[in-house]
Amino acid sequence: MKNNYCQIYLVRHGLTDWNVRGFLQGQSDIPLNKEGERQAVEAAKKHFKKIKFTAIFSSDLFRAKRTAQIIALEKKMAVETSKLIRERDFGPFEGKHWQEVEKELRMSIKEFRILSDEVAKKLGIESDEKMMERFLRFLREVAVAYRGKKVLIVTHGSVMRVFLTKLGFLSKEDSKNVFIKNLAYVKFLSDGVDFFVEEVFGIEKKE
């Protein structure tokens, strides 16, 4: 790894009851369930045990924070939280089952994933543009502050999906069909300007 790049592991939080039941969580503060905690413990041992992170960050929402805390525990590190890396604000659709959303909007959940910024704003949902504005600001600041270091960031599925699409790693069509598992991660390099994906885990394309 070149010294002018920060190596970042971007991780999705563990499973929640709302994940299981098919409800849109957004910025609703839903905790991990027992399986989610187990997933985080397993990932800590399987994927991150040998990595020497300089810092660990997470979304301030509890499901992400708890996931980060479990990974940090073995390393005896503190977790710093930020609202900038929260999940998308789904507005009036938070807490609704995805089938209910499909019926109300007369579109598939796959189409819902790639709403244009204009349509998102009309529906009261945080747009890709607004979400990436805050998220990329955070990533750029971290990349500059931790040049030559390794950093773990625990965030959310929609954030990761849009980020990978913005980078061109996923096409818009891919983005509709991609399933991002709990504890999936993206490893990438950044100098605060550019982003280079090195590895992805737990991100599957489904038709």
Side-chain angles (χ1 to χ4, degrees):
M1 182 175 64
K2 296 179 181 179
N3 288 334
N4 58 327
Y5 287 102
C6 175
Q7 189 176 71
I8 298 174
Y9 285 74
L10 190 65
V11 185
R12 188 186 177 203
H13 62 79
L15 192 72
T16 72
D17 285 342
W18 276 26
N19 286 151
V20 175
R21 294 165 66 189
F23 294 131
L24 289 184
Q25 291 180 117
Q27 296 186 2
S28 300
D29 209 1
I30 310 303
L32 294 182
N33 60 20
K34 288 183 180 180
E35 175 62 13
E37 300 231 352
R38 187 202 65 76
Q39 289 172 336
V41 170
E42 181 183 20
K45 293 177 180 178
K46 184 178 179 181
H47 298 298
F48 308 123
K49 186 175 183 178
K50 295 180 181 180
I51 302 171
K52 293 184 178 180
F53 294 114
T54 302
I56 297 178
F57 298 94
S58 87
S59 153
D60 65 328
L61 297 175
F62 189 75
R63 59 191 183 272
K65 182 180 177 182
R66 180 62 183 145
T67 301
Q69 287 172 337
I70 291 170
I71 296 170
L73 184 63
E74 192 174 326
K75 299 179 180 297
K76 298 180 180 178
M77 294 178 68
V79 175
E80 188 175 335
T81 63
S82 173
K83 290 183 178 180
L84 296 177
I85 49 178
R86 276 184 167 197
E87 178 60 291
R88 186 196 302 273
D89 182 354
F90 283 108
F93 299 96
E94 288 194 13
K96 292 185 177 183
H97 193 277
W98 64 266
Q99 289 178 333
E100 184 182 357
V101 174
E102 285 187 327
K103 186 175 180 180
E104 187 174 335
L105 297 180
R106 296 180 181 177
M107 68 171 66
S108 71
I109 199 68
K110 290 182 178 182
E111 294 296 327
F112 184 75
R113 288 172 182 163
I114 58 166
L115 291 176
S116 69
D117 288 345
E118 184 181 4
V119 172
K121 289 172 186 175
K122 286 180 180 178
L123 294 173
I125 298 170
E126 184 178 23
S127 66
D128 288 358
E129 179 187 23
K130 292 293 288 184
M131 182 169 63
M132 283 297 103
E133 184 181 314
R134 58 177 169 84
F135 182 69
L136 291 176
R137 185 165 84 245
F138 181 85
L139 288 188
R140 294 186 195 286
E141 289 173 359
V142 166
V144 170
Y146 293 92
R147 290 185 190 274
K149 308 295 185 183
K150 295 179 181 179
V151 174
L152 180 85
I153 299 175
V154 182
T155 186
H156 304 265
S158 291
V159 176
M160 292 173 68
R161 181 189 306 279
V162 176
F163 175 61
L164 287 173
T165 305
K166 188 171 182 64
L167 294 189
F169 186 84
L170 296 176
S171 68
K172 201 76 170 177
E173 190 64 25
D174 287 338
S175 185
K176 277 199 310 187
N177 298 308
V178 154
F179 178 67
I180 300 176
K181 294 182 177 181
N182 296 99
L183 272 302
Y185 67 80
V186 180
K187 181 173 74 169
F188 62 94
L189 298 175
S190 179
D191 58 359
V193 178
D194 296 313
F195 300 92
F196 304 97
V197 176
E198 291 191 311
E199 179 188 351
V200 297
F201 173 82
I203 299 176
E204 300 177 350
K205 294 177 184 177
K206 294 190 175 183
E207 295 304 323

